[in-house]
Amino acid sequence: MSAFRPEIEVLRNNGITGIALQRINDPTVIPLWFGEGDRVTPGFIREAAKQALDDGLTFYNHTRGRIELRSAIKRYLDQLYGLDLNPDRVSVPGSTMLGITIAAQMCLNKGDHSIIVSPNWPNIESTFQVTGAQVCFVRQRQEGGEWQLELSDLYAAVQPNTRAIFINTPCNPTGWVMTPDEQREVLEFCRRRQIVLIADEVYHRTVYDAPVAPSFLSHATDDDPVVVVNGFSKAWAMTGWRIGWVVAPARMEEQWAVMSECFNTGATTFAQLGALAAIEQGEATVKQLTQQYAKGRDIVMEMLGQHPRLEILRPQGAFYAFPRLRGVRSSMQFAQQVLDEENVGLAPGYTFGPGNEEHFRLCFAQSHERLREALRRVLACMDRLPDSAFTE
Ligand SMILES: Cc1ncc(COP(=O)(O)O)c(C=O)c1O
């Protein structure tokens, strides 16, 4: 018998870390496995953090984040969505992921039922499993050349003991973007059933037909059972900084502060000053990065879109392609082969929830020449696959 909890004993690396940890930081690999590009965080953000260190900002903070950063996030969200958010709802955890973890801890008990809209980033499944809750997946469908969530599929999966629904829009890995009407309807459902909706909007600025994706914030009232999580990693190229934000029900402000103390007593002080510079002065950066990703998306569609063995839908948001390599027996074996033979890092599809064994995910946020080279190599590897790699 183990001294540790069974929910912890069963944890294993997911398919992304399972492959990436083999060659992480190896300069000979073109890494398309993680959700980040190859551009360092812009200089003005780094300078603000350096300045904070030089100013001696090395002490503890308010557990929900520095007040000037929380105020700046409120102003940013107000402007973006035309709101007047209650500032008590905003907190700053040490990463988007930590925001999700705290939200899951706040609503899920052992034995509860929870729903994750999939295909999904695997870390969500782990953080839900750690609570001891049962996890069920509702898969988006591929319809009319796009990924879509059928809301009736979602409602049909709800059980009497469903305590949480997780939705990531724009979605990693499919690029699906939920419409405002769908958001309003799901929110109303969760309100009625008192189910906590954890809405992950970390790709809110990575959309290609609008300056910003629709947000649950536009519909949620102060005390709705909704936690909207977001962060600096993607829109401002700050993945290594480990800083996020959440908008939670106003009446949970004190509970959020205590949960924050339980985990890391809030985000790193000087990183918060970098984040402040990003959110106050980073609009041009956000636009530039999104333009770069839009071109990355075009490159992927142009290079992979015609391959007879591939099915690929044009992503509406986020910076991933999630093609299906029709009939391939093992997404992990394929990703392993691409890494070993071509030095390109892909994420195997099986790790993004059930039904994705024939898929792989690639992040197209790399600079364009590197991206093209990586795709050339992926295609070369694909064309060398023996018939025995396929079921048909
Ligand atoms: C859907 C989704 N949510 C959350 C995160 C985590 O963001 P952070 O690095 O800020 O913790 C990621 C990172 O890839 C993601 O894809």
Side-chain angles (χ1 to χ4, degrees):
M1 207 180 92
S2 164
F4 294 95
R5 292 173 55 218
E7 292 83 5
I8 303 303
E9 285 285 355
V10 297
L11 294 178
R12 296 289 176 272
N13 280 328
N14 64 47
I16 307 174
T17 42
I19 193 148
L21 294 185
Q22 299 175 31
R23 306 271 297 273
I24 194 164
N25 297 334
D26 177 342
T28 64
V29 173
I30 306 182
L32 310 185
W33 41 36
F34 292 143
E36 61 184 355
D38 50 4
R39 280 169 64 163
V40 296
T41 305
F44 71 94
I45 300 174
R46 287 181 282 139
E47 285 309 319
K50 282 193 244 175
Q51 189 62 52
L53 280 173
D54 289 344
D55 292 344
L57 291 183
T58 60
F59 297 97
Y60 286 129
N61 279 303
H62 191 297
T63 48
R64 292 201 299 107
R66 291 177 72 85
I67 184 73
E68 70 269 36
L69 177 56
R70 281 189 278 132
S71 304
I73 292 168
K74 174 205 153 35
R75 281 196 301 276
Y76 167 81
L77 295 172
D78 283 354
Q79 205 172 355
L80 209 50
Y81 304 117
L83 306 171
D84 181 16
L85 272 184
N86 177 344
D88 294 342
R89 294 173 66 195
V90 180
S91 299
V92 177
S95 75
T96 316
M97 189 59 228
L98 182 53
I100 299 166
T101 297
I102 292 177
Q105 291 288 332
M106 283 170 112
C107 58
L108 290 174
N109 270 315
K110 194 178 173 77
D112 284 345
H113 181 261
S114 64
I115 297 176
I116 295 177
V117 172
S118 80
N120 60 284
W121 187 49
N123 301 35
I124 311 301
E125 183 181 346
S126 313
T127 206
F128 275 33
Q129 276 169 346
V130 163
T131 67
Q134 180 198 346
V135 180
C136 143
F137 298 90
V138 174
R139 197 167 189 271
Q140 297 157 43
R141 300 179 184 198
Q142 299 177 60
E143 269 165 14
E146 284 183 359
W147 290 90
Q148 298 284 348
L149 175 66
E150 202 57 64
L151 295 190
S152 55
D153 293 346
L154 179 65
Y155 303 148
V158 171
Q159 305 286 318
N161 64 337
T162 303
R163 304 297 335 142
I165 295 177
F166 176 89
I167 298 181
N168 167 223
T169 168
C171 174
N172 167 12
T174 64
W176 162 69
V177 180
M178 204 173 189
T179 67
D181 283 347
E182 290 169 331
Q183 290 184 334
R184 206 176 291 113
E185 191 183 322
V186 169
L187 181 60
E188 175 52 34
F189 180 86
C190 290
R191 189 183 284 146
R192 216 172 39 245
R193 302 285 285 257
Q194 281 300 297
I195 295 171
V196 175
L197 172 64
I198 304 177
D200 178 344
E201 300 186 353
V202 75
Y203 297 100
H204 69 306
R205 300 305 301 273
T206 314
V207 276
Y208 303 108
D209 305 319
V212 63
S215 171
F216 281 99
L217 289 176
S218 300
H219 316 291
T221 60
D222 267 16
D223 282 319
D224 274 337
V226 182
V227 180
V228 177
V229 294
N230 210 320
F232 291 87
S233 296
K234 313 294 178 178
W236 294 273
M238 293 173 69
T239 47
W241 291 65
R242 314 312 303 132
I243 183 157
W245 76 75
V246 299
V247 183
R251 64 177 194 80
M252 301 304 285
E253 175 197 351
E254 188 171 350
Q255 287 82 352
W256 196 281
V258 177
M259 290 302 285
S260 164
E261 279 186 287
C262 294
F263 281 91
N264 67 347
T265 319
T268 305
T269 301
F270 50 88
Q272 293 195 45
L273 273 293
L276 180 64
I279 207 156
E280 286 189 330
Q281 302 159 48
E283 213 34 47
T285 297
V286 169
K287 289 187 176 125
Q288 249 173 29
L289 287 170
T290 307
Q291 270 166 17
Q292 182 198 323
Y293 305 152
K295 176 78 182 148
R297 179 178 72 151
D298 290 345
I299 292 170
V300 169
M301 293 309 295
E302 168 203 314
M303 291 185 68
L304 303 189
Q306 304 305 322
H307 196 280
R309 275 221 180 257
L310 282 179
E311 276 170 24
I312 180 169
L313 300 186
R314 191 178 177 80
Q316 308 301 302
F319 46 43
Y320 306 96
F322 193 56
R324 174 172 172 225
L325 180 49
R326 215 178 303 112
V328 77
R329 282 183 196 279
S330 162
S331 56
M332 186 62 190
Q333 218 165 31
F334 175 59
Q336 189 69 53
Q337 203 164 337
V338 172
L339 179 63
D340 295 344
E341 295 176 10
E342 297 289 346
N343 294 315
V344 174
L346 298 178
Y350 83 88
T351 204
F352 296 90
N356 299 309
E357 183 56 89
E358 295 182 0
H359 289 255
F360 61 91
R361 187 195 74 174
L362 63 88
C363 173
F364 53 74
Q366 295 285 317
S367 53
H368 297 148
E369 262 327 296
R370 264 184 116 203
L371 178 62
R372 281 186 203 282
E373 177 55 28
L375 296 177
R376 270 193 287 275
R377 295 188 202 175
V378 171
L379 285 168
C381 187
M382 212 155 44
D383 289 339
R384 277 200 311 274
L385 287 175
D387 286 347
S388 60
F390 297 94
T391 52
E392 49 195 76

